[in-house]
């Protein structure tokens, strides 16, 4: 395998031309270093084209249409579902539900599975490093049913504290939901191990893989979780595409989430019965174009090979952590370079507010994010209001890292002046 | 762009904020945060008759929010309440003298929003400053 | 105004070339007559291009990004919201929430507003002609809170029975939700009058305008409703775009629907507070590309002029009803030709099952829908299992109608043989 | 396409369905609907020994579903239960002899699904006929 894939360090530069947006320069002729891929990745031309061709050649509402266009649109939609299933090694495409994004996927589980299974006094376990999208849905559930929420703690270098996990598991939580990879720190959590322990304790386990799926090969069967959610728009696909994977037996036992066309078996004014999975959870006209784009994106990533993607990003992260370590006044959060640090780097620069850092970087056409990264509890734990964050995708390269380091030095010069 | 944004006056005000601190027994006071960036600004005002007799600000956050608040305290010192109420977004932008991009606008306007909220006695809306 | 717009009867043919998919021919060289626009409309090139350009030039996650691309993406997204507000004459863009589709919009109201306001024993009024998407969300709410559902009856020619409405209003329902235009019959309901009566009776009123917005000029302020929902994909926009409009004071008082990134003010592990409207109802990364496409679609429709669109479709419907009336054995449902019959025509052909009719028509490259049209209670009321439905959009023309009539005759020849 | 779909044999079976009706005291019976189109098919079977002694179908729906059910009753008359269980989707498609598009597949397979459900005594899944 290793011989047929591009060498990890060249993955970035060699495929940059596939991404039209990366060809932009700023008014000073500087190339774009897009280092906000953890928020949303850029899209290769094949994905953009897949969506346009869908609308120019095959568009129609799906299901129940007996004419050719509708049959073709239905086929494209279900092919995309199959592509999703292969990408994460699901046992069946039926286990893959299209959602708008990770957020909707987690809300689906919290509202449908949650309201049917979580009771007054039950414990819901999340973590201190969760994204708001894996916190708030559980809060809404907890409030509705009277459950309690507790968070697994983290160590100072941003790793989950497995002792803290064990203490919470001893209380036999109903749900354990945790991030595959931290979007703020890049920490790759030991997902299989956490799942194993949580299931042993009798919990139902959801993996928020919004940052896992873009960076790592994901195999839901090997992981052994009950639910896994990710966002298409973070894996080179259009915004508006996301996935909830769930174990078939769990999904089949779940009541509907949203009600409407497509998710019913029979409707009378007074009562209705529900369609099978996955239709039961896809009420209304789905975002077929976005799903088709997701299929194309996953095919593109499969061609690159997710093992190569992951190696590329790990090498780049290692390089970036080295470069930033050379800069006095720069503090990097999260684990040291290594297998458990994916391509997300959060840092602060002494005496310069993270937003000011990001603004100076933007002046150099280096796009990074500054803020709480939808992780306010984590920021509180780290004792910062915000950080600046650089994050990588398949198209990121060493030049981007060099330009990041230089722009940080420029910020330091400006603010030291 | 970055050189333009962080001109000397901004950097100067953010490094050496004017009227920084708190007033012990303020006639009006208000504090707010910019939820998106976490910038915090508090404004304490002592009003005598119909005018600003003393003003102090405190808080933390980015250079834009803190410099803008600092400049604002200089702008309003000694002014009548009517004059303060009449200060517009454009006045702040003029005073800053640098191009503020949409994403940083809330930082630039936080001081004004807080001051007007203090003076009106009700929270002011970002959009209608 | 009337002088600057294309004559109604030429709207269809003169703009067909704007829609790439309509240029398709089948293997026998027959042009495509796409008569399933009520399910989902086709997209003009300007909309397809708006989406591609967004991804090729401006894509980034919105809000909180301080770099240029993110600011541009945010601007495009908010411009689209402004475009929506102008299109339906909302008092403020803040009243316009992006959803995936009508279905999600109605579920949002039923779950957020509904759970906060509808109590055990309350009455929810819908109609016998509602789409499942305006039935099932209310059933889910009714079941959760113990409310009752009743449906306004219809006359044999498919109009709402206003006497039946009055009887139900006398019971002071908490909610009245009804379709602006019936997707199965084309009936244009007297929305302003229904809203007036319902509000007088103290109800909160939701208009399901999934079929109103594509066919009629919509003015939410003139209508006087509390909520109005429509689907972008039925107004020439990409799938994955939809809108909930709500009165600002109602929206501001509503608790969240989905929880996650972007809809919060402050998050702690134990509790959170919510962002203002509309952000509160847009949890997670929104479908920015689809929203941008919706903005482009509404600009295109505004240029055509919705009054002209509506006149065009009314004229075409009148013509189609005349043509179908000439065919022995064809039964048309819904009101006779006129202002209250929008561009949707449901019919059955004696001795031929609706699906067989649709299959024969497909052989002639005439795309129509057959089935219950997500209106099982209406089908039950009409005493049919299914109908065949032809529906129009801006690009439909008399040739499409002629080809429809000829294809029906062909079906009759085949089945009579 | 439409000419191909509605060949004489399909039209003939849908106009003149064979073995249409009900059996008074069937050994096995099952009824199902195709929720998407509303097609209904019921199959009554009288089994003697290990073979289909009598079979009748009833129902309503499109020409494809009714013709396919009618043809199926002819195919299985007198066959052993093992033979009936072995009938595949392809066998049905061969018998129909016309191209069935994906959207009409459920119509074409409804009869087989119902018959197998009757014989196995448990509802059969569309995907695994
Ligand atoms: C770890 C994590 N969880 C959840 C989300 C939410 O994803 P989305 O906004 O696509 O719903 C994100 C992305 O922002 C994330 O990084
Ligand atoms: C009247 C009516 N309401 C609701 C819907 C649901 O729309 P969507 O599937 O876009 O959510 C439709 C469209 O199918 C409709 O015609």
């Amino acid at each position: 395998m290793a011989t047929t894939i591009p060498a990890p360090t060249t993955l970035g530069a060699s495929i940059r031309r596939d991404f039209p947006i990366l060809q932009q320069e700023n008014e000073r002729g500087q190339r774009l270093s897009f280092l906000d891929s953890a928020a949303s990745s850029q899209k290769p031309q094949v994905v953009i084209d897949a969506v346009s061709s869908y609308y120019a050649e095959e568009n129609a509402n799906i299901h129940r249409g007996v004419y050719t266009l509708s049959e073709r649109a239905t086929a494209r939609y279900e092919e995309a579902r199959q592509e999703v299933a292969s990408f994460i090694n699901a046992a069946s495409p039926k286990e893959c539900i299209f959602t708008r994004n990770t957020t909707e996927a987690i809300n689906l589980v919290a509202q449908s599975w949650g309201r049917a299974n979580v009771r007054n006094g039950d414990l819901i376990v999340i973590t201190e490093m969760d994204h708001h999208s894996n916190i708030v849905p559980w809060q809404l559930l907890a409030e509705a049913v009277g459950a309690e929420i507790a968070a697994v703690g983290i160590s100072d270098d941003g790793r989950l504290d497995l002792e803290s996990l064990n203490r919470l598991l001893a209380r036999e939580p109903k749900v354990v939901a945790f991030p595959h990879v931290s979007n703020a720190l890049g920490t790759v959590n030991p997902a299989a191990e956490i799942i194993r322990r949580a299931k042993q304790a009798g919990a139902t386990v959801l993996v928020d893989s919004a940052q896992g799926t873009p960076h790592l090969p994901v195999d839901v069967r090997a992981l052994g979780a009950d639910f896994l959610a990710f966002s298409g728009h973070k894996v080179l696909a259009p915004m508006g595409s996301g996935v909830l994977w769930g174990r078939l037996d769990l999904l089949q036992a779940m009541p509907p989430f949203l009600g409407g066309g497509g998710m019913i078996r029979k409707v009378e004014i007074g009562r209705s019965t529900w369609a099978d999975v996955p239709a039961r959870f896809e009420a209304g006209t789905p975002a077929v174009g976005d799903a088709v784009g997701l299929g194309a994106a996953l095919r593109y990533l499969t061609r690159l090979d997710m093992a190569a993607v992951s190696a590329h990003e790990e090498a780049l992260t290692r390089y970036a952590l080295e470069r930033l370590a050379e800069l006095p006044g720069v503090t990097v959060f999260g684990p040291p370079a290594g297998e458990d640090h994916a391509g997300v780097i959060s840092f602060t620069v002494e005496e310069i507010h993270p937003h000011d850092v990001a603004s100076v970087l933007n002046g150099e056409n280096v796009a990074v994010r500054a803020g709480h990264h939808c992780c306010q509890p984590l920021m509180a734990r780290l004792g910062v209001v915000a950080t600046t964050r650089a994050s990588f995708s398949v198209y990121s390269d060493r030049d981007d890292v060099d330009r990041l380091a230089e722009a940080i030095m420029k910020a330091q010069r400006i603010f030291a002046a | 762009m970055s050189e333009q944004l962080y001109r000397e006056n901004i950097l100067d005000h953010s490094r050496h904020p004017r009227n920084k601190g708190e007033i012990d027994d303020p006639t009006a006071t208000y504090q707010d945060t910019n939820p998106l960036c976490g910038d915090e600004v508090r404004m304490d005002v002592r009003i005598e008759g119909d005018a600003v007799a003393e003003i102090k600000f405190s808080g933390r956050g980015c250079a834009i929010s803190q410099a803008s608040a600092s400049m604002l305290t200089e702008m309003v010192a000694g002014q009548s309440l009517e004059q303060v109420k009449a200060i517009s977004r454009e006045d702040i932008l003029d005073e800053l003298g640098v191009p503020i991009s949409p994403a940083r606008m809330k930082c630039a306007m936080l001081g004004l929003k807080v001051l007007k909220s203090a003076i009106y006695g009700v929270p002011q809306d970002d959009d209608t400053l």
Side-chain angles (χ1 to χ4, degrees), chain A, chain B:
Chain A
M1 203 150 188
T3 58
T4 66
I5 56 175
T9 46
T10 67
L11 194 58
S14 67
I15 59 167
R16 255 183 91 87
R17 63 178 180 285
D18 293 350
F19 294 79
I21 208 167
L22 299 180
Q23 314 312 314
Q24 292 185 1
E25 294 186 344
N26 69 2
E27 65 282 9
R28 282 156 57 212
Q30 292 172 305
R31 75 174 240 187
L32 173 63
S33 284
F34 185 78
L35 296 174
D36 193 24
S37 297
S40 198
S41 69
Q42 295 303 342
K43 325 300 175 201
Q45 191 68 50
V46 286
V47 168
I48 299 174
D49 289 347
V51 176
S52 323
S53 317
Y54 168 74
Y55 286 120
E57 293 162 22
E58 322 209 89
N59 176 65
N61 211 322
I62 59 168
H63 300 315
R64 284 185 303 280
V66 304
Y67 56 88
T68 308
L69 276 183
S70 176
E71 293 191 329
R72 279 165 62 190
T74 306
R76 288 304 89 74
Y77 187 62
E78 295 305 330
E79 280 160 24
R81 196 191 303 279
Q82 175 63 62
E83 203 74 54
V84 169
S86 313
F87 194 77
I88 60 174
N89 196 29
S92 156
K94 288 188 193 173
E95 299 185 331
C96 303
I97 297 158
F98 285 116
T99 63
R100 178 170 39 243
N101 47 32
T102 301
T103 303
E104 192 189 20
I106 298 174
N107 278 275
L108 196 169
V109 176
Q111 291 303 312
S112 166
W113 180 88
R115 281 183 188 246
N117 291 281
V118 179
R119 303 261 168 280
N120 193 358
D122 281 348
L123 179 65
I124 297 168
V125 169
I126 56 175
T127 79
E128 275 187 352
M129 66 165 83
D130 267 300
H131 186 282
H132 295 163
S133 290
N134 201 31
I135 301 176
V136 182
W138 302 112
Q139 290 179 339
L140 296 176
L141 171 65
E143 209 196 294
V145 305
E148 185 196 341
I149 295 194
V152 177
I154 61 166
S155 63
D156 289 336
D157 62 357
R159 288 177 167 127
L160 279 184
D161 175 354
L162 295 185
E163 281 312 304
S164 157
L165 172 68
N166 284 345
R167 279 193 301 276
L168 289 171
L169 291 181
R171 295 175 53 199
E172 300 188 355
K174 198 84 190 193
V175 191
V176 173
F178 70 95
H180 202 167
V181 170
S182 157
N183 69 300
L185 301 176
T187 317
V188 180
N189 290 313
E193 177 59 20
I194 296 170
I195 294 163
R196 200 185 56 76
R197 293 191 195 185
K199 300 228 53 145
Q200 219 159 32
T204 295
V205 185
L206 177 140
V207 182
D208 169 1
S209 192
Q211 300 297 337
T213 312
H215 297 299
L216 308 168
V218 170
D219 180 333
V220 290
R221 278 188 273 184
L223 280 173
D226 298 303
F227 298 104
L228 181 139
F230 70 94
S231 296
H233 68 92
K234 295 183 202 276
V235 287
L236 316 186
M239 285 171 153
S241 62
V243 172
L244 172 67
W245 167 85
R247 263 179 36 218
L248 196 58
D249 55 336
L250 285 177
L251 293 176
Q252 280 171 336
M254 277 158 58
F257 170 47
L258 308 183
M263 52 69 76
I264 60 94
R265 175 171 296 273
K266 188 158 172 47
V267 174
E268 295 167 53
I269 292 294
R271 63 181 294 278
S272 301
T273 52
W274 317 126
D276 287 340
V277 168
R280 188 187 307 161
F281 299 108
E282 295 183 354
T285 303
V288 180
D290 297 326
V292 167
L294 176 57
L298 297 183
R299 270 194 301 281
Y300 179 86
L301 282 173
T302 301
R303 196 156 53 73
L304 295 183
D305 183 332
M306 283 307 293
V309 166
S310 161
H312 168 70
E313 291 180 13
E314 195 189 315
L316 206 55
T317 304
R318 191 179 296 275
Y319 177 64
L321 289 171
E322 276 167 23
R323 288 290 328 247
L324 294 191
E326 290 163 7
L327 304 182
V330 172
T331 307
V332 174
F333 298 90
E339 274 197 3
D340 71 347
H341 194 146
V344 174
I345 299 176
S346 252
F347 61 94
T348 53
V349 182
E350 214 178 317
E351 300 289 323
I352 317 182
H353 190 277
H355 280 84
D356 294 321
V357 174
S359 279
V360 174
L361 267 49
N362 183 50
E364 307 298 308
N365 218 7
V366 174
V368 296
R369 192 145 290 241
H372 52 60
H373 315 296
C374 295
C375 291
Q376 289 182 352
L378 176 64
M379 297 292 119
R381 165 65 178 82
L382 298 174
V384 295
V385 193
T387 70
T388 306
R389 181 187 75 180
S391 56
F392 306 131
S393 183
V394 293
Y395 42 72
S396 309
D397 63 14
R398 289 168 75 105
D399 194 29
D400 292 327
V401 173
D402 293 335
R403 299 189 63 241
L404 169 69
E406 277 150 33
I408 294 172
M409 289 188 279
K410 176 151 187 177
Q412 291 178 316
R413 282 196 305 276
I414 291 174
F415 277 79
Chain B
M1 268 183 93
S2 52
E3 291 93 321
Q4 284 181 331
L5 183 56
Y6 297 101
R7 285 245 195 82
E8 195 43 51
N9 64 333
I10 305 260
L11 293 170
D12 179 46
H13 271 274
S14 88
R15 274 191 220 112
H16 312 291
R18 323 296 199 262
N19 303 310
K20 182 115 188 211
E22 301 183 0
I23 297 178
D24 272 348
D25 196 12
T27 328
T29 183
Y30 194 74
Q31 142 144 25
D32 204 356
T33 61
N34 174 347
L36 297 185
C37 326
D39 295 331
E40 285 175 22
V41 166
R42 169 172 157 178
M43 290 272 177
D44 291 351
V45 192
R46 197 162 49 75
I47 298 165
E48 277 179 16
D50 187 39
V52 174
E54 188 184 0
I55 180 166
K56 295 236 183 215
F57 90 97
S58 51
R60 54 179 187 158
C62 67
I64 308 295
S65 68
Q66 302 304 304
S68 163
S70 167
M71 286 175 184
L72 182 61
T73 61
E74 290 195 323
M75 284 166 73
V76 301
Q79 289 212 315
S80 76
L81 292 187
E82 280 321 299
Q83 287 175 306
V84 176
K85 288 179 182 173
I87 296 173
S88 68
R89 300 167 70 92
E90 286 63 41
D91 295 333
I92 299 291
L93 293 178
D94 287 348
E95 193 70 20
L96 288 168
V98 294
I100 300 291
S101 75
R104 305 304 301 274
M105 199 56 84
K106 277 181 190 286
C107 312
M109 296 303 153
L110 182 59
L112 181 63
K113 182 179 167 193
V114 169
L115 178 57
K116 287 202 181 176
S117 299
I119 283 185
Y120 281 104
V122 285
Q124 297 296 297
D125 192 357
D126 239 7
D127 306 342
T128 52
L129 283 177

